[in-house]
Structure formats: structure tokens, C-alpha cells
Amino acid sequence: MTSDAMESTVQAASDFDWSFLLGAPLRITVIIVGAIIVNLIVRLFIRRFTTAVAKGTVGSEKADGAGFAKFSATAMEAQRTGIDQQTIKERRAQRAKTVGRMLSSVTTILISVIATLMILDALSFNIAPILASAGIAGVAIAFGAQELVRDYLSGFFIVIEDQYGIGDTVDLGEAVGEVEDVGLRRTQVRDLTGTLWHVRNGEILRVGNLSQGWARAVLDIPIDYRTSMDEYREMTEEITRTLRKDPEIAKAMIEAPEIAGVQSLSGSHRVIRTMVKTKPNLQWMVERAFRAELMTEMAKRGGQIGMMQETVLRTLSSTDAESTETTAGSSAPREKSAVGAAPTTRSHKTAADEKPSPLPSGDEIRGTVQEDSPSEGTNDDADD
């Protein structure tokens, strides 16, 4: 390169307007870097929040009043509900992961949209129409997507409050069964017949969770009066010892059976209520095992289950009622169509067979009148 070329290059560089870089490019760079930093800070707070949800830590004042201490609520919940701590930790971790994913996605979308609008403004684009369109779209979405927003808000609180989780047996009204999936918009429940129910979270007004904490097997057993309460109590103790020998049943039972007392009385038996505290979702297995052992124990002692008294009321259909009336009418004297005429019998015809008779013609009417006239005259002469 010659000296003249170098001088021209230096002169061109000195004439370049470096202030341009301090304008829009610098502002755009600052906006992008600021958006990234804000997103990282928000994600840090979300991570701390989800960690607290997963650990389940709460503040508690010591008994002596000297300061505060944090302790894990997992041990307390395990002691209260009878569920192992590992299961509780897994449920909380799953819940925290779901909430953290949702919050991170929402914050990233909001920060990205705001940063994009600021970049367009830095490039001297008129963003007023965009803001106006966004306002109109927001109003339309507010009116049209109310159900969707309610579903997401309800799902958020369902997950945060741990109302139910995957594997729980719940009663959501129409849908009763095992939860297969929990989302922020809808919940999937598989019922006993295998039907998969998709329930929107916004439509869930109440939740009956049969799997949280513990369950209770309630048995109302009819016992005849020949079996005393002491004998029934001895049979219950023997049944309990037998059930404890089965490892699966023994693991399901939290406490020994409790005899609540006589539930109702009848002329032939009394109903005794027996309750067994079990682990969640295992109460039906304990009920079936208890009934089976009770039948065996009753057979050994020569007792029996109380007979349920039933009264059956039957009503006659319209066809049966007509047949009854016909049978009753056949025993009565037969009606005669006219004096001295032979008795007539009724034949059962269907609605299709009973057709209206045609109207008589004019010749038939005149013929009938002519036949009746001589007879009437004869009777008059006879009277005379």
C-alpha cells in the first residue's frame, strides 16, 4: 500500500461519525443486556421460592422463647399422616418443579416482549399502533379467555397447596378415580371402569382426596341377637391376630380395629359398626380381608350373619290389569246384546285390528226404514 492510500484511509477513518455507535446500537445493547440480567435475577428468586416449597420449611419459635429456629415440616407431616418422608419429599419436589417451570416461562415471555418494544422504539419505529393493538387484544382476551385464566389460576393454587397429586384417589364430583396427570389447566382422572376424565381446574369446586394422610375402613356388619357383644369383641380380636399374620395386611393397618358400637336395630339383628385406620388407598383391601375372616370365624363358632328383612312390592302393568279384569268378568253372567238374543263374548283385539266401520250408504238406510215400517204397522194393528 502506498503512502497516498494510507493517508486516504486514515482520513476516511477520521471523517467517520463515531457518534452513531453511541446512539441506537448502544441503546439496543443496553436493553438486551438489561433484559438478560433482569431475567436471571427473577429466575433466582423463583428458584429460591421453589426450593422453599420443595423443602417445606417453616419458622417456629422455641419453647423457651429464646430466638427462632427453622425445621423441616416433612418429619411432622410424616408423623401426622403416617406417610414415609421419602414420598412426601418426592411430591413436594414434583410440585415445586411444576410451579417453577410455569413462573419461569411467564417471566421470560413478559421480559422478552417488553425488551422487543423498547428495541423498536430505539430504532425510531412508531410503536403506538402496536400498543393500541395490544390494548385491544388484551381487552378481547380478558373477555374471551376468562375461563382459561381461571383454569390456570386454579391449577396454580392446586399445585401450590398440594390438594392432590399423581397417584392419588380423588373425588372431583362427576369424576372419581386415580389421578394420572396434574397440569395447570386440566387434571386427568382414571375411574374404576377405565374411563379417562379430563377435568378443567377452573371447574373443580371441591376436592375429596382419599389418599392424603390416612384412611379408615368402615364396616357395618349385621349380627343376630344370639351373638353377644363380648363374643363379637372376641371374634374381632381373633380376626385382628389372623390379619396381622399377613405382611401385606399388617403393613396396611395403622391401628387395631375399633368397635364403635351398635349402629341400628331391627327385629332380627343389630348392625355393629367396626372401624380400622389404614394407610391411604388400602382401606378397601382391609375391608375385604376383614369380611372374609369374619365369615370364617362365624362358621367356627356356629354363629351367623343377621338376615336382612326385605319387603317386595309389585305393581301390575296395563296388560296384566286387562287380563285380570277379563278373568274376573268371565265368572259374572254374560251380557246379552238384546232381549232373547244369544250371549256374546268379547274378543281381544289389538289397536291395529280395531278399524272404524264404513258409513252406510243411502240405499241401505232406505232399505232399513222400509223394513221397519211394516213391523211398526203390524204392531199398531195388533194393539187395536
Side-chain angles (χ1 to χ4, degrees):
M1 178 180 295
T2 61
S3 60
D4 296 336
M6 293 178 62
E7 290 179 0
S8 60
T9 303
V10 172
Q11 185 67 27
S14 61
D15 295 339
F16 182 75
D17 188 9
W18 294 95
S19 62
F20 172 75
L21 296 178
L22 300 178
L26 181 61
R27 291 199 298 270
I28 293 174
T29 304
V30 171
I31 291 172
I32 294 175
V33 173
I36 294 174
I37 294 175
V38 171
N39 193 14
L40 292 176
I41 294 174
V42 173
R43 284 177 176 268
L44 178 62
F45 282 104
I46 293 174
R47 192 177 299 110
R48 289 185 177 181
F49 173 72
T50 54
T51 302
V53 173
K55 290 182 178 179
T57 55
V58 294
S60 175
E61 187 175 0
K62 290 185 178 181
D64 55 0
F68 294 87
K70 284 190 175 182
F71 62 93
S72 176
T74 305
M76 295 179 57
E77 185 175 354
Q79 184 178 2
R80 178 177 56 86
T81 61
I83 305 175
D84 58 303
Q85 298 186 19
Q86 185 64 28
T87 303
I88 296 176
K89 291 180 180 179
E90 291 177 358
R91 286 174 60 93
R92 285 178 175 170
Q94 181 183 6
R95 184 168 72 252
K97 183 179 179 181
T98 303
V99 174
R101 189 187 304 114
M102 183 201 70
L103 293 178
S104 299
S105 301
V106 171
T107 54
T108 301
I109 293 174
L110 290 178
I111 293 174
S112 300
V113 170
I114 294 174
T116 302
L117 293 177
M118 294 177 66
I119 290 173
L120 292 177
D121 183 55
L123 294 176
S124 300
F125 283 96
N126 187 13
I127 63 175
I130 299 177
L131 295 177
S133 302
I136 297 174
V139 173
I141 292 174
F143 281 101
Q146 294 180 5
E147 300 295 334
L148 185 62
V149 174
R150 186 173 69 175
D151 293 341
Y152 275 99
L153 289 177
S154 300
F156 176 79
F157 285 106
I158 286 174
V159 174
I160 283 292
E161 297 172 359
D162 193 21
Q163 297 181 12
Y164 54 82
I166 297 176
D168 289 351
T169 302
V170 296
D171 180 0
L172 304 181
E174 293 292 335
V176 180
E178 182 180 353
V179 178
E180 289 196 352
D181 186 27
V182 179
L184 294 176
R185 191 183 67 84
R186 59 99 183 96
T187 299
Q188 294 181 356
V189 178
R190 179 85 62 178
D191 64 5
L192 186 62
T193 62
T195 303
L196 183 62
W197 294 80
H198 298 265
V199 185
R200 289 170 42 201
N201 293 331
E203 294 181 348
I204 300 176
L205 302 180
R206 59 154 176 87
V207 178
N209 196 329
L210 284 72
S211 303
Q212 280 188 345
W214 51 271
R216 178 177 283 126
V218 180
L219 301 102
D220 292 334
I221 303 172
I223 302 295
D224 61 351
Y225 290 105
R226 291 177 296 179
T227 304
S228 64
M229 290 295 296
D230 294 335
E231 292 177 350
Y232 180 75
R233 190 173 291 105
E234 292 176 1
M235 286 189 296
T236 303
E237 294 175 357
E238 183 65 26
I239 292 171
T240 304
R241 286 191 290 268
T242 305
L243 294 178
R244 293 290 188 186
K245 296 179 181 179
D246 189 346
E248 188 175 1
I249 302 297
K251 185 179 180 180
M253 296 173 57
I254 299 177
E255 297 178 357
E258 175 187 356
I259 301 177
V262 178
Q263 188 70 13
S264 62
L265 298 172
S266 66
S268 60
H269 65 275
R270 61 185 181 275
V271 177
I272 301 176
R273 171 163 292 184
T274 305
M275 299 181 296
V276 185
K277 190 174 182 180
T278 66
K279 290 186 177 180
N281 286 343
L282 299 178
Q283 62 269 32
W284 301 287
M285 179 181 66
V286 175
E287 288 181 5
R288 290 190 290 266
F290 189 93
R291 291 191 183 98
E293 293 297 330
L294 177 63
M295 293 176 59
T296 304
E297 191 66 23
M298 291 288 287
K300 291 180 180 178
R301 296 173 179 263
Q304 62 179 3
I305 301 295
M307 301 297 294
M308 305 295 291
Q309 294 181 354
E310 297 181 354
T311 302
V312 180
L313 300 178
R314 299 183 59 187
T315 57
L316 296 177
S317 60
S318 58
T319 306
D320 296 336
E322 292 177 359
S323 302
T324 304
E325 292 177 358
T326 304
T327 306
S330 62
S331 60
R334 296 182 178 178
E335 298 179 355
K336 296 183 179 180
S337 59
V339 178
T344 59
T345 58
R346 296 180 181 179
S347 60
H348 295 281
K349 296 181 180 181
T350 60
D353 297 335
E354 295 179 356
K355 296 180 180 179
S357 60
L359 295 175
S361 61
D363 296 337
E364 293 177 349
I365 296 175
R366 286 191 292 271
T368 304
V369 172
Q370 292 175 2
E371 291 177 357
D372 294 340
S373 297
S375 61
E376 291 176 359
T378 305
N379 294 335
D380 294 340
D381 296 340
D383 294 336
D384 294 337

